[in-house]
Amino acid sequence: MGFLTLGNYINLLCVIIILLPSLCYCQDYYVSSRATYYGSPDCYGTPSGACGYKEYGSTINGGEVTGVSKLFKNGTGCGACYQASIAENHQLINVRCKYSQHCSEDGTKVVVTDHGEGDNTDFVLSARAYNKLALPGQAEILFSYGVVDIEYKRISCQYPGYSLMFKVHEHSRFPQYLALIPIYQAGVTEITAVELWQEDCKEWKGMRRAYGAVWDMPNPPEGAINLRFQVSGSKWVQLKSLIPSEWKAGATYNTAIQLD
């Protein structure tokens, strides 16, 4: 076996540095955690979650949604998708081994729509999502525990037939105040900044992250609005005249694109 020369060592080091971001970004491993659940009369998620999704947040992904604590990331984590399953190396495996007919190996896929935590939990699942942790007809036993040990990993969000959309938040007031919220955001990327083109001063003006996934701006530009957003802190995506001049609160505008 030959020895590395200084030049080869530097080249190898550069390759490792280039590969590291992609290796770290894809979460192929499971993380140990705990989960509880919150209930609602129809078993869907809450429509008033901290992400600001309103009714969208209670019905997206069939109501299999979650509130999170540290994964909320001041709202940047809103819309992220996770795969959660019963942990193999925690307390519940003892229950599975003894009552294996109750526990599902598939787990549940959830979308982050809220901020919340329980008894040292990272996830507060909707009743529908929590139900998916058990085999059909066996959920009552898991509900009786209240808190269960799980494993989770980040997965790509998938919305077949839907493009990324920007919804004008219901609290917007034309023309004095505009608040936007991205919905049907696929892939594993995160929107970290949103800017509007200010024609009078020929520059992009940043919107404020008001809370959760909601971005807002007082006195937005007049006329049709050009918008751009930053994906995961690097790539910018620009959309010309996405928001019409006579925009309305509650209206949804299709970008005709989707994130990876």
Side-chain angles (χ1 to χ4, degrees):
M1 180 181 296
F3 293 94
L4 285 175
T5 65
L6 178 59
N8 288 337
Y9 178 82
I10 293 174
N11 289 337
L12 177 61
L13 182 60
C14 289
V15 170
I16 293 173
I17 292 173
I18 291 171
L19 288 178
L20 271 176
S22 59
L23 291 173
C24 296
Y25 187 77
C26 299
Q27 188 176 332
D28 294 327
Y29 56 90
Y30 280 88
V31 177
S32 298
S33 185
R34 284 158 58 86
T36 185
Y37 66 92
Y38 54 79
S40 61
D42 56 7
C43 295
Y44 285 97
T46 59
S48 56
C51 288
Y53 288 137
K54 300 296 182 181
E55 290 301 322
Y56 167 85
S58 65
T59 59
I60 190 66
N61 195 41
E64 294 175 29
V65 297
T66 184
V68 292
S69 52
K70 65 183 181 184
L71 297 173
F72 189 73
K73 296 186 284 188
N74 293 322
T76 303
C78 289
C81 296
Y82 290 91
Q83 168 77 37
S85 58
I86 298 301
E88 296 183 356
N89 57 345
H90 282 75
Q91 181 179 355
L92 196 58
I93 186 62
N94 297 326
V95 177
R96 284 186 64 193
C97 292
K98 189 175 181 180
Y99 306 107
S100 59
Q101 71 270 26
H102 301 302
C103 302
S104 168
E105 294 182 359
D106 296 331
T108 182
K109 297 180 176 67
V110 292
V111 180
V112 174
T113 60
D114 201 356
H115 178 275
E117 57 185 315
D119 180 14
N120 295 316
T121 62
D122 283 320
F123 292 86
V124 182
L125 302 172
S126 66
R128 283 178 177 253
Y130 194 88
N131 184 79
K132 285 290 186 71
L133 294 176
L135 291 170
Q138 302 297 314
E140 184 176 348
I141 290 180
L142 295 189
F143 276 100
S144 70
Y145 285 109
V147 178
V148 293
D149 293 299
I150 62 164
E151 292 180 334
Y152 74 89
K153 68 176 179 179
R154 177 80 182 270
I155 60 174
S156 176
C157 295
Q158 302 293 329
Y159 299 110
Y162 286 92
S163 300
L164 172 67
M165 301 181 186
F166 277 86
K167 181 180 179 180
V168 179
H169 198 275
E170 288 81 358
H171 292 164
S172 298
R173 300 183 303 277
F174 181 83
Q176 296 92 354
Y177 172 75
L178 174 63
L180 299 173
I181 184 166
I183 59 176
Y184 296 112
Q185 181 182 332
V188 293
T189 55
E190 298 168 343
I191 294 178
T192 57
V194 180
E195 297 181 345
L196 306 183
W197 178 250
Q198 202 81 29
E199 180 63 27
D200 54 353
C201 53
K202 303 295 183 183
E203 67 178 12
W204 290 98
K205 184 177 180 181
M207 300 188 79
R208 177 189 67 142
R209 185 187 289 278
Y211 66 95
V214 179
W215 301 85
D216 70 353
M217 177 184 289
N219 303 312
E222 297 179 356
I225 297 176
N226 298 329
L227 176 150
R228 73 175 185 177
F229 60 90
Q230 191 176 35
V231 179
S232 297
S234 57
K235 177 183 176 182
W236 284 93
V237 179
Q238 185 171 330
L239 303 165
K240 185 176 181 180
S241 301
L242 176 68
I243 311 298
S245 57
E246 300 292 328
W247 51 265
K248 300 180 184 299
T252 302
Y253 300 105
N254 196 333
T255 67
I257 64 172
Q258 191 51 279
L259 302 180
D260 298 327

